[in-house]
Amino acid sequence: MKMSQNPQETALSKCPGCEEPLEPGDLFCGACGYDLSAVPEPPQDHPTIAMAVSAENGAAAAARPPAARPAAVRFDEPGGSGDFELAAPGAAPGAAPASTPSAEASAPAPDPRTPAAELPSTPPAGTKLCVACRAGRVDNDGYCENCGHAQPRERDHMEQELGSVAAVSDRGLRHHRNEDSFAVSTTALPDGSPAVVAIVCDGVSSASRPDEASAAAASAANEALLESLPRGTHPQQAMHEAIVAASESVNSLAEEPGQAMEHDPHRHRNAPACTLVGAVMAGGLLVVGWVGDSRVYWVPDDRTNPPARLTEDDSWAAQMVSAGLMNEAEAYADERAHAITGWLGADAYELEPHTASFKPDRSGLVVVCTDGLWNYAESAAEMAAAVPADAQLRPLHGAQVLVGHALDGGGHDNVTVALLPFAVPPQGAGSACGNT
């Protein structure tokens, strides 16, 4: 979710300290830590608004005519129309990261003309070497002790496959860091049947430490589900509790020593924050839970059956459609369409987790993703068209293809997707995914 801090705030295109590229809304340079708050420049994106609403004006904000811009505290990229079929409110968010380090970037070797006395000594075997000078040791903060070059982040590209569930996350082509995170896991219910979990979180870039928020939320939600499902907690209740646990984990980041900034007038707005979406397959049920605008799609194995979107965004556009003030095409064409109205974080007015439970009557694929993907495949039909035909058998490859689809489309945001094949014995005709 690519966002700027505020409509009135600005952002630099490059860090004044190290000239690394920046994204609108960055408070500090991700490469060198330079404080960017004192050197503003006009914003360069049209993001989505994440709205903070008080108790008394919450309903009014949802019904505000489109001509009036709501109090915007966070923005995201604009998007097109979307489907809301099969969405059902009800319960919970959570999240966790799992990663495979990305390949280190190549870099030129030291100049052969440099006198040997000036070259750094060869580090001991097993020492992580700098990708830039290929000679200096990398310190615990991720910088070369020889040339000072910041090293590629492990989270720039992450992949994990666990049995039949897989997930891929990528920094994208325009962000200088990956603020998404995910967790995939498996466990067993009390009767010994399997349960599969996928959690995907999207850091709010206008907030402080969004990458930490998404990682904390993903981890907390995943751990909560792995603890509650084997005890026999109903999957929908377990999802709700996982979202609450994720929220508490993100909230705690704002209270860490040295991070609260007691005298900062913007400390609440800038508290670490993220969105969350998750799916659990257990006991023949598909349970989804979310807070924010990341989504879950259902793609039947038999593509002659219709796909569906199983979540409804916490966003300005969704509020306009729900209030009957605009149709979907009008709402999603508005520059405020992607303003999120729900997220996890200490600055969220109120935690409103959503959950829904479905009992599919045929096999299909569950797609759990951030807006970095669905911005390039927004409707259920578009998402189904982007999913490779063999994704049910090769979920990791399918997730890689979907990330590639977003990168080919422009890769303006971090991209994260998890795929969960849902196998059902053939039972004849019927609805592809029934809400319970």
Side-chain angles (χ1 to χ4, degrees):
M1 182 176 307
K2 185 150 111 33
M3 305 178 177
S4 64
Q5 301 174 45
N6 190 291
Q8 284 74 40
E9 294 181 7
T10 56
L12 298 167
S13 59
K14 291 185 178 180
C15 171
C18 65
E19 297 190 348
E20 284 290 309
L22 302 172
E23 288 295 322
D26 284 346
L27 302 175
F28 300 92
C29 174
C32 70
Y34 192 99
D35 184 355
L36 305 171
S37 61
V39 204
E41 177 181 295
Q44 309 196 359
D45 285 318
H46 303 284
T48 280
I49 319 168
M51 299 181 290
V53 239
S54 66
E56 56 251 48
N57 68 6
R64 185 177 287 112
R69 177 181 292 280
V73 297
R74 294 187 181 131
F75 283 73
D76 205 356
E77 289 292 330
S81 62
D83 302 325
F84 297 122
E85 67 269 22
L86 296 180
S99 69
T100 297
S102 59
E104 294 185 343
S106 59
D111 191 333
R113 296 168 294 180
T114 304
E118 297 180 17
L119 288 172
S121 59
T122 303
T127 301
K128 184 175 181 181
L129 296 180
C130 174
V131 301
C133 71
R134 294 188 178 182
R137 187 179 74 87
V138 177
D139 63 22
N140 293 333
D141 294 325
Y143 292 86
C144 176
E145 293 181 344
N146 175 48
C147 68
H149 188 90
Q151 305 302 294
R153 297 176 181 86
E154 186 177 24
R155 285 178 61 174
D156 281 359
H157 185 86
M158 304 181 289
E159 297 184 359
Q160 186 178 12
E161 186 172 33
L162 187 63
S164 64
V165 59
V168 176
S169 181
D170 192 88
R171 185 182 69 178
L173 303 180
R174 290 176 56 183
H175 267 277
H176 69 274
R177 66 179 174 187
N178 190 357
E179 295 168 358
D180 287 357
S181 192
F182 69 80
V184 293
S185 59
T186 61
T187 186
L189 301 180
D191 63 2
S193 62
V196 182
V197 173
I199 301 293
V200 168
C201 294
D202 186 345
V204 175
S205 296
S206 60
S208 64
R209 302 148 64 204
D211 51 338
E212 295 181 40
S214 64
S219 179
N222 185 61
E223 291 175 6
L225 286 164
L226 292 181
E227 194 275 332
S228 60
L229 290 171
R231 289 201 326 259
T233 304
H234 189 280
Q236 190 164 358
Q237 178 62 29
M239 177 64 80
H240 180 91
E241 294 172 358
I243 295 176
V244 173
S247 176
E248 293 172 350
S249 181
V250 177
N251 291 350
S252 68
L253 294 177
E255 306 304 325
E256 291 182 0
Q259 302 289 350
M261 299 178 293
E262 179 180 355
H263 302 295
D264 181 358
H266 304 300
R267 62 186 181 277
H268 297 300
R269 183 194 64 216
N270 289 330
C274 69
T275 67
L276 181 148
V277 66
V280 172
M281 300 188 308
L285 292 177
L286 168 60
V287 172
V288 299
W290 74 97
V291 170
D293 63 349
S294 292
R295 295 179 175 179
V296 178
Y297 292 84
W298 168 262
V299 179
D301 286 354
D302 181 355
R303 300 298 178 88
T304 62
N305 292 306
R309 174 151 66 89
L310 306 183
T311 57
E312 182 173 350
D313 301 342
D314 288 322
S315 70
W316 181 90
Q319 285 192 345
M320 292 298 104
V321 174
S322 177
L325 298 176
M326 305 173 77
N327 61 39
E328 288 183 11
E330 294 169 336
Y332 280 89
D334 193 283
E335 63 178 1
R336 297 162 288 182
H338 285 247
I340 57 171
T341 58
W343 61 89
L344 306 182
D347 64 344
Y349 169 69
E350 184 178 4
L351 175 63
E352 295 186 26
H354 313 289
T355 61
S357 179
F358 304 92
K359 191 173 182 63
D361 63 0
R362 64 197 61 191
S363 297
L365 188 72
V366 182
V367 180
V368 184
C369 65
T370 62
D371 63 342
L373 171 59
W374 67 251
N375 275 329
Y376 299 100
E378 187 162 0
S379 71
E382 290 171 328
M383 184 62 72
V387 172
D390 63 350
Q392 178 88 2
L393 300 175
R394 304 170 64 199
L396 178 58
H397 175 259
Q400 293 167 338
V401 169
L402 288 173
V403 168
H405 176 80
L407 298 181
D408 289 344
H412 77 281
D413 203 351
N414 304 149
V415 189
T416 302
V417 58
L419 298 184
L420 299 82
F422 196 112
V424 176
Q427 297 180 22
S431 63
C433 196
N435 195 355
T436 63

